[in-house]
Amino acid sequence: TGTGGNQGAGIHFATGGAASQIMFGNFFGSTGVSIQSGGHSTFSDMRYKTNVEVVSAPVRSKMKNLSIYEFNRIGRSLDPETISSERLRGFSAQEVKEVFPEIVNDEDYDGVGLSISTDGMLATLVKAFNELQAEFDEFKAQVASERS
């Protein structure tokens, strides 16, 4: 919950030292999405894409199968001596792979462990938000129709 009557849920991504926040909810009296970036941008020019298709399959119901975890990261060597004291929050790549295998990379750049595509997760979250927004708009129209 924000200040000044602003309410919303937030998601925080940290990528390569840059942090991004995506907030869904009611901000300054209007419902929507607020995206704040800490300097990271993604190459996404449509001129450099081929075989482009809009994702039409619903994703929101699948999101319920994902848990959000708090944890301390272990270094890439998996040596217990490399455990970070910083508490982090995130997903389990294993769980995400069960639900959205297309956004999980089997090996990261060092060839160790699973990684989640931040771009893929962001796109999936925006799709889920759009589905929820459409459902909400339909509900509002139904209530307005019943009142008149």
Side-chain angles (χ1 to χ4, degrees):
T1 303
T3 59
N6 300 324
Q7 296 181 358
I11 299 163
H12 174 86
F13 292 109
T15 309
S20 299
Q21 289 184 1
I22 304 151
M23 303 296 289
F24 303 102
N26 182 356
F27 303 97
F28 306 104
S30 68
T31 302
V33 179
S34 168
I35 299 176
Q36 303 166 355
S37 177
H40 175 76
S41 62
T42 301
F43 183 72
S44 192
D45 191 318
M46 289 297 281
R47 295 177 297 172
Y48 299 94
K49 297 178 182 185
T50 186
N51 301 322
V52 176
E53 298 176 18
V54 173
V55 175
S56 59
V59 298
R60 189 171 59 88
S61 62
K62 293 180 178 182
M63 298 299 286
K64 292 187 258 182
N65 296 324
L66 299 179
S67 297
I68 298 174
Y69 297 96
E70 287 189 352
F71 55 90
N72 295 85
R73 185 175 307 279
I74 301 173
R76 294 198 184 272
S77 65
L78 298 179
D79 179 351
E81 298 292 321
T82 63
I83 296 175
S84 168
S85 62
E86 180 183 11
R87 286 298 276 171
L88 301 172
R89 214 176 252 194
F91 299 98
S92 158
Q94 286 81 357
E95 283 183 7
V96 174
K97 187 173 182 173
E98 289 178 21
V99 182
F100 301 109
E102 64 279 6
I103 65 173
V104 175
N105 303 310
D106 284 333
E107 292 186 1
D108 65 7
Y109 63 91
D110 284 339
V112 180
L114 301 175
S115 63
I116 300 169
S117 163
T118 304
D119 297 340
M121 182 57 84
L122 174 59
T124 302
L125 291 169
V126 169
K127 172 86 166 92
F129 175 80
N130 289 342
E131 291 172 14
L132 187 59
Q133 186 66 48
E135 188 176 309
F136 179 70
D137 291 346
E138 185 178 311
F139 175 74
K140 282 189 342 185
Q142 181 182 358
V143 168
S145 173
E146 290 173 2
R147 287 185 177 170
S148 56

